[in-house]
Short mmCIF file of all heavy atoms in Angstrom, two decimals:
data_model
loop_
_atom_site.label_atom_id
_atom_site.label_comp_id
_atom_site.label_asym_id
_atom_site.label_seq_id
_atom_site.Cartn_x
_atom_site.Cartn_y
_atom_site.Cartn_z
N VAL K 354 -37.32 11.70 6.82
CA VAL K 354 -38.50 11.09 6.19
C VAL K 354 -39.09 10.02 7.04
O VAL K 354 -40.29 9.93 7.27
CB VAL K 354 -38.16 10.64 4.76
CG1 VAL K 354 -39.25 9.74 4.21
CG2 VAL K 354 -37.90 11.81 3.85
N GLU K 355 -38.22 9.10 7.52
CA GLU K 355 -38.72 7.98 8.29
C GLU K 355 -39.34 8.49 9.60
O GLU K 355 -40.36 7.95 10.07
CB GLU K 355 -37.59 6.97 8.55
CG GLU K 355 -37.11 6.32 7.30
CD GLU K 355 -36.66 4.86 7.49
OE1 GLU K 355 -36.95 4.30 8.56
OE2 GLU K 355 -36.11 4.28 6.56
N GLY K 356 -38.74 9.48 10.23
CA GLY K 356 -39.31 10.07 11.44
C GLY K 356 -40.67 10.68 11.19
O GLY K 356 -41.58 10.58 12.01
N ALA K 357 -40.75 11.38 10.04
CA ALA K 357 -42.08 12.00 9.71
C ALA K 357 -43.14 10.97 9.51
O ALA K 357 -44.31 11.20 9.90
CB ALA K 357 -41.88 12.85 8.43
N ILE K 358 -42.83 9.83 8.88
CA ILE K 358 -43.78 8.76 8.70
C ILE K 358 -44.21 8.18 10.06
O ILE K 358 -45.41 7.92 10.30
CB ILE K 358 -43.22 7.66 7.81
CG1 ILE K 358 -42.94 8.18 6.42
CG2 ILE K 358 -44.18 6.45 7.77
CD1 ILE K 358 -44.14 8.72 5.68
N LYS K 359 -43.26 7.98 10.96
CA LYS K 359 -43.58 7.49 12.31
C LYS K 359 -44.57 8.46 12.99
O LYS K 359 -45.54 8.04 13.63
CB LYS K 359 -42.34 7.31 13.14
CG LYS K 359 -41.50 6.09 12.81
CD LYS K 359 -40.28 6.00 13.71
CE LYS K 359 -40.64 5.72 15.14
NZ LYS K 359 -39.42 5.54 16.00
N LEU K 360 -44.27 9.74 12.90
CA LEU K 360 -45.14 10.75 13.53
C LEU K 360 -46.50 10.75 12.95
O LEU K 360 -47.52 10.80 13.68
CB LEU K 360 -44.47 12.14 13.42
CG LEU K 360 -45.27 13.30 14.03
CD1 LEU K 360 -45.50 13.08 15.52
CD2 LEU K 360 -44.54 14.61 13.78
N ALA K 361 -46.60 10.66 11.63
CA ALA K 361 -47.92 10.67 10.98
C ALA K 361 -48.74 9.45 11.40
O ALA K 361 -49.95 9.55 11.62
CB ALA K 361 -47.72 10.69 9.46
N ARG K 362 -48.08 8.33 11.47
CA ARG K 362 -48.74 7.08 11.89
C ARG K 362 -49.23 7.24 13.38
O ARG K 362 -50.37 6.83 13.72
CB ARG K 362 -47.86 5.90 11.74
CG ARG K 362 -47.66 5.45 10.32
CD ARG K 362 -46.73 4.25 10.23
NE ARG K 362 -46.89 3.49 8.98
CZ ARG K 362 -46.33 2.35 8.75
NH1 ARG K 362 -45.52 1.80 9.63
NH2 ARG K 362 -46.58 1.71 7.61
N LYS K 363 -48.41 7.79 14.22
CA LYS K 363 -48.76 7.91 15.64
C LYS K 363 -49.93 8.88 15.77
O LYS K 363 -50.87 8.66 16.54
CB LYS K 363 -47.55 8.41 16.42
CG LYS K 363 -47.78 8.51 17.95
CD LYS K 363 -47.87 7.16 18.60
CE LYS K 363 -48.25 7.24 20.08
NZ LYS K 363 -47.23 7.87 20.86
N TYR K 364 -49.87 10.03 15.06
CA TYR K 364 -50.92 11.05 15.19
C TYR K 364 -52.26 10.56 14.64
O TYR K 364 -53.30 10.77 15.29
CB TYR K 364 -50.47 12.30 14.48
CG TYR K 364 -51.52 13.39 14.46
CD1 TYR K 364 -51.74 14.19 15.59
CD2 TYR K 364 -52.34 13.61 13.34
CE1 TYR K 364 -52.70 15.18 15.62
CE2 TYR K 364 -53.31 14.60 13.35
CZ TYR K 364 -53.49 15.36 14.49
OH TYR K 364 -54.48 16.34 14.53
N THR K 365 -52.25 9.96 13.48
CA THR K 365 -53.51 9.54 12.85
C THR K 365 -54.03 8.20 13.31
O THR K 365 -55.25 7.94 13.23
CB THR K 365 -53.33 9.45 11.29
OG1 THR K 365 -52.38 8.43 10.99
CG2 THR K 365 -52.88 10.77 10.71
#
Side-chain angles (χ1 to χ4, degrees):
V354 166
E355 295 214 10
I358 296 300
K359 284 181 67 175
L360 178 59
R362 285 179 158 189
K363 183 73 185 293
Y364 176 79
T365 62

